[in-house]
Amino acid sequence: MDPFAVLRILISNDDGIFATGLNTLAEHLAREFEVFVVAPDRERSATGHALTLHKPLRVDSVDMSRIGVKSAFAVTGTPSDCVKIGLSVLLEKPVDVVISGINHGPNVGADVLYSGTVSAAIEGAIYDLPSLAVSMLNGHSHHADFTPAAEWVARLLKHLFNDAKNPCPIAPKTVYNINVPALPLADILGVRVTHLGTRMFTDSYEKRVDPRGGLYYWLAGERIEESDDPLSDVATVRNNYVSLTPIQFDLTHHTLLESVRGQIEHLTFSPTC
């Protein structure tokens, strides 16, 4: 039996279940794998790893059979909600891999801290599943073609899962954060394994007045700095390579543990009167 034919994939995103990036990826992967979709019912960009705690989650079935998806659900929550409820409740059988994307725009550098796309993939890693977060440059353009990125993901999956003796090819608690140039597949120069770079913005808020005279603020800002480090994800994808960055959700600064322990653990604190 072809080992790839039975690969079961859960796809989510933060752009919403009807986003072009998700639908292109789902349609492309469904030609070779079993694909299931659980995604937000609307755009939920920059939600980070937020979960819905104080209101109910509503779930609607969506018919995506025309593109080969086995079952699909739209959820009124965040990307992390979608993966969590998908794996816990909605899918009848376990999946082999979680993929979030294809996001309509890059997720490089500090973007990963805010990205709903990356957080959905991290939720998969929390469940000990191989997980990918996939984003594409210039994805917000009306002319964006997500097909090359979807084809690249399909090729990566075949490479990662071609060894029956290694059913979990990604290290535990790890996500492959992937950024793909907005280019035809033939023009992508290759793939580089990178570290997170630096992409800085001016944080400014525009002060505005609504029609009823009330003040509100709109987060604005411009990009002011990008990493020139050729091994960073920022520079790599800018130079027409696919960037693949292994990231983890263990934020412990392990290299500082002992030195901080020596500085702090000898301290005693006297009770105050």
Side-chain angles (χ1 to χ4, degrees):
M1 177 182 295
D2 182 350
F4 310 123
V6 296
L7 194 67
R8 294 167 56 87
I9 301 170
L10 170 60
I11 297 179
S12 191
N13 73 347
D14 71 356
D15 292 310
I17 194 166
F18 300 110
T20 304
L22 180 147
N23 280 262
T24 302
L25 180 65
E27 181 176 12
H28 204 86
L29 296 185
R31 298 170 187 170
E32 303 179 74
F33 312 114
E34 290 189 12
V35 172
F36 306 84
V37 172
V38 184
D41 64 342
R42 68 198 74 177
E43 183 174 350
R44 299 285 186 178
S45 297
T47 54
H49 209 97
L51 295 174
T52 301
L53 300 179
H54 302 296
K55 58 183 178 181
L57 289 176
R58 302 193 183 276
V59 179
D60 290 317
S61 179
V62 177
D63 184 5
M64 300 178 71
S65 59
R66 63 177 183 80
I67 59 172
V69 172
K70 298 296 183 181
S71 60
F73 302 91
V75 180
T76 59
T78 67
S80 298
D81 285 328
C82 293
V83 174
K84 186 179 287 289
I85 197 171
L87 296 175
S88 302
V89 177
L90 299 178
L91 302 185
E92 296 179 356
K93 296 180 181 179
V95 297
D96 303 300
V97 59
V98 172
I99 304 178
S100 182
I102 300 168
N103 189 62
H104 292 205
N107 277 302
V108 294
D111 294 349
V112 302
L113 298 174
Y114 307 100
S115 168
T117 301
V118 175
S119 292
I122 288 175
E123 192 65 42
I126 291 173
Y127 279 79
D128 289 322
L129 291 168
S131 299
L132 312 175
V134 184
S135 306
M136 192 184 83
L137 271 66
N138 299 324
H140 293 289
S141 168
H142 293 298
H143 304 290
D145 181 7
F146 292 90
T147 302
E151 171 62 26
W152 194 91
V153 172
R155 294 184 183 185
L156 178 65
L157 289 174
K158 291 177 183 179
H159 173 74
L160 292 176
F161 289 89
N162 67 354
D163 186 356
K165 297 179 181 179
N166 185 24
C168 188
I170 301 176
K173 311 301 183 185
T174 302
V175 169
Y176 282 177
N177 185 49
I178 297 166
N179 284 274
V180 184
L183 295 170
L185 202 59
D187 294 336
I188 296 176
L189 299 180
V191 57
R192 295 287 181 267
V193 177
T194 62
H195 60 76
L196 295 177
T198 302
R199 196 162 75 131
M200 300 298 294
F201 294 81
T202 57
D203 285 333
S204 62
Y205 288 83
E206 293 184 9
K207 185 178 180 180
R208 301 180 181 180
V209 180
D210 68 27
R212 297 185 178 181
L215 289 176
Y216 68 97
Y217 296 85
W218 197 288
L219 177 61
E222 297 179 353
R223 186 167 63 240
I224 58 175
E225 179 184 347
E226 286 192 350
S227 173
D228 290 325
D229 182 345
L231 298 180
S232 73
D233 55 356
V234 176
T236 294
V237 74
R238 189 174 59 210
N239 291 328
N240 297 338
Y241 286 87
V242 174
S243 165
L244 189 155
T245 307
I247 61 174
Q248 59 183 357
F249 54 85
D250 179 1
L251 298 181
T252 307
H253 199 319
H254 290 279
T255 57
L256 287 183
L257 275 178
E258 291 304 320
S259 63
V260 174
R261 185 173 286 128
Q263 295 172 7
I264 301 298
E265 289 191 350
H266 71 281
L267 297 177
T268 58
F269 296 90
S270 300
T272 58
C273 298

